[in-house]
Amino acid sequence: MLSFILNREPVETDASPGTLLLDFIRYDAKLPGTKDACREGECGSCTVLIGKPDADGRPRYKACASCLLPIGDVAGCHVVTVEGVDREEFNAIQRLIIEENAAQCGYCTPGIILSLAGFALSAEAYSYAAAVDALDGNICRCTGYASIRRAAVKLAEALEKNIRDRDDRIPGLVEYGVLPEYFLSIADRIRELKSAPSGPEREGEVVVAGGTDLFVQKPEELLTSPLFFLSGRRDLDYVREEDGSLRVGSAVTLEDFRLHPLVNRHLPAMREDVLLHSSTILRNKATLSGGIVNASPIGDITIMFLALGAVLELEAAAGGNRQVALCEFYRGYKDLDLNPGEIIREMVIPLPKPGTFYNFEKVSNRKILDIAAVNSSILLETDGEKIARLLLSAGGVAPVPLLIGGLEKFSGKKISPETFAELASAAMAAVAPIDDVRGSAEYKRLLLGRLTEAHYQKFSTRREN
Ligand SMILES: Cc1cc2nc3c(=O)[nH]c(=O)nc-3n(C[C@H](O)[C@H](O)[C@H](O)COP(=O)(O)OP(=O)(O)OC[C@H]3O[C@@H](n4cnc5c(N)ncnc54)[C@H](O)[C@@H]3O)c2cc1C
Ligand code: FES
Ligand code: FES
């Protein structure tokens, strides 16, 4: 039996944990405000808020795509659809959408309202940029974005002025008319609920991290499969600094990683780079470990972590851990050094030495919400004017995400356009791309050369500044 709160009502259901939340909301709970469109996390029309209790039992709300979210993953949570933010009169977000003419057919509007409610509840800052970023996963086909953006920006201005307590925002948001009053009692109500199942049995169970890859690939199969929800492993939801490394638990979402103060201090580029992975409603669920295990040869996170020299700590179902370097984790196309029942427990990222240059580059048709044709990261330790150590990774150019080997010969060479031209040639010679929908093998090899040169251009610009 799964329990959660859907808007104002408690839910107890025997439905399969793999049932998509979108289907449960629309077809079981008969709440039609949440729209069913792409079912692939691309459009945002199915956006809902998930309030997951933190260690103190207070719900932390995030906007998520309900089309890739199994109900087993919301056990113990507060699920909020557009019907759940209704007040007797229009709420402050709805009023702004009307005043700014930010809706026409209205199909995307519930998702936009929930993304903006998520912004009100959890944004780091009520700024212009954050308000617009909160909508990066919501596509509108008819209104045009100028009026939607105007509504978002006016909301940010109003919240900046009116919401004083940012640690406990719910009372302020109720008072200002963004949320209905029942939100005030949710913390007490979710404490009474059972939390997500997370037993030690794992062999034969499908590990669900964010579910954003699994539920695109095989939603029908997962309806009847036994599932193991990583979100139930609170002990794996951490980022900490230890022994010269960042240790990131495998249940950490991309967005929590991106905004974590330790990540911002030691790997500042991640704040922008992770935005290139996907939209807010996906980053709020997708994890780093899911990206690593799905083993896409073009996965962005893997390519970033390969150049950082990451190591994986694996946990066997029966207990007992072992470590494997990320660059040795991939034995062939989708063939991993991962035993049945084993999970990634944490990623260990050695902290870059002071003065180390790190950079990520990606070429894709669209800036976000698009998989790369080729991507690449570099870690460059320098010894004054010379290369001390160099790690270069490349995606889309081999059956696995690749750490390019044989580059030790560049240690001691002067950092110059000539050296990087030589490095680009070495990288191009080391890969074996194939022709596919993203481009010909020749094009991808050439792209890798250009991205290697782009790393140098970024390095030079940063050195000059
Ligand atoms: C709209 C959209 C856009 C996207 N764009 C990009 C993009 O631009 N770049 C990019 O790189 N990717 C992109 N992706 C793919 C994205 O990388 C994956 O969806 C995401 O990283 C998977 O993470 P998850 O936590 O949701 O994994 P899940 O879907 O939960 O799991 C993925 C796989 O990993 C396994 N798994 C997960 N965690 C563990 C663990 N700790 N131990 C063992 N096994 C585990 C699962 O069993 C499953 O086989 C996109 C996806 C969508 C839907
Ligand atoms: S239906 Fe399009 S993102 Fe969920
Ligand atoms: S108002 Fe029609 S899709 Fe946005």
Side-chain angles (χ1 to χ4, degrees):
M1 180 75 77
L2 286 167
S3 347
F4 56 95
I5 297 174
L6 177 54
N7 299 330
R8 295 160 177 83
E9 304 300 329
V11 172
E12 291 209 332
T13 174
D14 288 323
S16 157
T19 306
L20 287 172
L21 181 61
L22 171 62
D23 292 338
F24 186 88
I25 289 168
R26 283 184 64 88
Y27 309 115
D28 291 22
K30 310 264 186 264
L31 294 171
T34 308
K35 301 299 180 221
D36 184 351
C38 72
R39 295 176 82 88
E40 288 199 349
E42 296 267 10
C43 73
S45 68
C46 68
T47 304
V48 296
L49 285 179
I50 305 297
K52 186 179 172 183
D54 64 11
D56 301 325
R58 290 193 308 176
R60 298 283 171 202
Y61 289 91
K62 299 277 169 68
C64 299
S66 63
C67 65
L68 300 180
L69 190 52
I71 57 167
D73 214 8
V74 299
C77 296
H78 181 207
V79 176
V80 187
T81 70
V82 73
E83 293 87 350
V85 291
D86 272 351
R87 295 166 55 103
E88 274 180 23
E89 69 289 6
F90 286 125
N91 72 36
I93 300 173
Q94 290 163 323
R95 263 201 327 271
L96 281 167
I97 285 180
I98 295 165
E99 283 164 21
E100 297 303 324
N101 299 311
Q104 283 187 32
C105 78
Y107 202 81
C108 68
T109 312
I112 286 178
I113 290 171
L114 270 300
S115 282
L116 289 175
F119 163 74
L121 279 156
S122 64
E124 262 190 330
Y126 291 138
S127 63
Y128 172 90
V132 174
D133 280 353
L135 294 173
D136 58 4
N138 296 88
I139 290 176
C140 175
R141 297 300 298 268
C142 58
T143 300
Y145 292 103
S147 55
I148 295 172
R149 209 160 36 230
R150 265 198 321 271
V153 170
K154 288 206 168 161
L155 177 70
E157 287 166 0
L159 295 175
E160 176 63 22
K161 214 181 294 165
N162 292 291
I163 307 301
R164 293 275 155 249
D165 184 350
R166 302 283 164 90
D167 292 328
D168 185 12
R169 303 181 193 194
I170 292 175
L173 290 171
V174 169
E175 195 183 334
Y176 184 61
V178 175
L179 299 175
E181 209 171 315
Y182 80 91
F183 268 74
L184 294 170
S185 62
I186 289 294
D188 289 336
R189 292 176 63 196
I190 52 173
R191 281 194 193 102
E192 309 294 315
L193 298 172
K194 293 188 204 93
S195 59
S198 60
E201 300 298 326
R202 277 208 307 263
E203 219 161 320
E205 293 180 331
V206 180
V207 179
V208 179
T212 64
D213 186 49
L214 280 170
F215 284 86
V216 171
Q217 305 294 342
K218 44 183 179 185
E220 290 86 11
E221 192 183 318
L222 292 167
L223 205 51
T224 51
S225 308
L227 305 179
F228 173 83
F229 291 99
L230 209 59
S231 60
R233 285 283 303 265
R234 286 187 175 275
D235 60 317
L236 299 183
D237 191 1
Y238 60 84
V239 178
R240 57 175 176 251
E241 186 179 341
E242 217 173 87
D243 303 332
S245 297
L246 269 190
R247 293 180 170 264
V248 185
S250 59
V252 174
T253 64
L254 289 177
E255 190 64 352
D256 285 349
F257 175 77
R258 186 179 85 82
L259 298 176
H260 198 283
L262 284 173
V263 177
N264 291 171
R265 185 182 327 148
H266 295 295
L267 303 169
M270 289 290 167
R271 206 176 160 88
E272 290 299 309
D273 289 349
V274 174
L275 288 177
L276 300 178
H277 178 280
S278 53
S279 62
T280 306
I281 56 171
L282 285 189
R283 295 194 312 274
N284 278 339
K285 273 309 286 176
T287 63
L288 308 167
S289 60
I292 289 170
V293 178
N294 86 11
S296 162
I298 198 69
D300 292 325
I301 298 299
T302 319
I303 291 305
M304 294 173 195
F305 280 26
L306 276 169
L308 289 166
V311 171
L312 307 177
E313 172 116 356
L314 308 179
E315 178 191 284
N321 299 339
R322 69 183 174 106
Q323 288 201 330
V324 56
L326 181 59
C327 62
E328 289 166 7
F329 188 57
Y330 302 104
R331 297 188 293 212
Y333 180 69
K334 304 260 175 184
D335 177 14
L336 309 178
D337 181 1
L338 189 71
N339 298 320
E342 214 171 27
I343 57 167
I344 297 182
R345 185 185 162 76
E346 69 174 5
M347 281 73 64
V348 184
I349 307 167
L351 292 178
K353 292 182 184 160
T356 299
F357 171 73
Y358 167 79
N359 187 45
F360 171 71
E361 296 288 334
K362 166 175 179 175
V363 174
S364 53
N365 286 335
R366 285 183 300 180
K367 196 171 172 198
I368 60 167
L369 275 178
D370 203 358
I371 203 80
V374 174
N375 51 10
S376 170
S377 274
I378 192 169
L379 185 89
L380 180 62
E381 287 174 14
T382 72
D383 174 7
E385 297 297 299
K386 293 188 181 146
I387 295 173
R389 180 168 167 257
L390 170 71
L391 295 177
L392 183 68
S393 60
V397 288
V400 297
L402 202 64
L403 184 68
I404 295 177
L407 301 182
E408 301 77 14
K409 62 184 178 193
F410 286 89
S411 297
K413 291 203 175 196
K414 186 168 183 271
I415 303 171
S416 65
E418 294 73 26
T419 301
F420 266 76
E422 203 188 318
L423 178 64
S425 301
M428 288 161 71
V431 299
I434 53 167
D435 297 334
D436 64 17
V437 287
R438 294 188 201 105
S440 66
E442 193 189 351
Y443 167 69
K444 290 187 212 169
R445 186 175 275 117
L446 198 63
L447 269 185
L448 177 59
R450 290 284 181 269
L451 294 189
T452 308
E453 286 165 9
H455 288 315
Y456 176 71
Q457 280 165 13
K458 288 267 175 70
F459 173 80
S460 309
T461 313
R462 270 186 225 171
R463 188 157 62 173
E464 280 159 21
N465 295 332

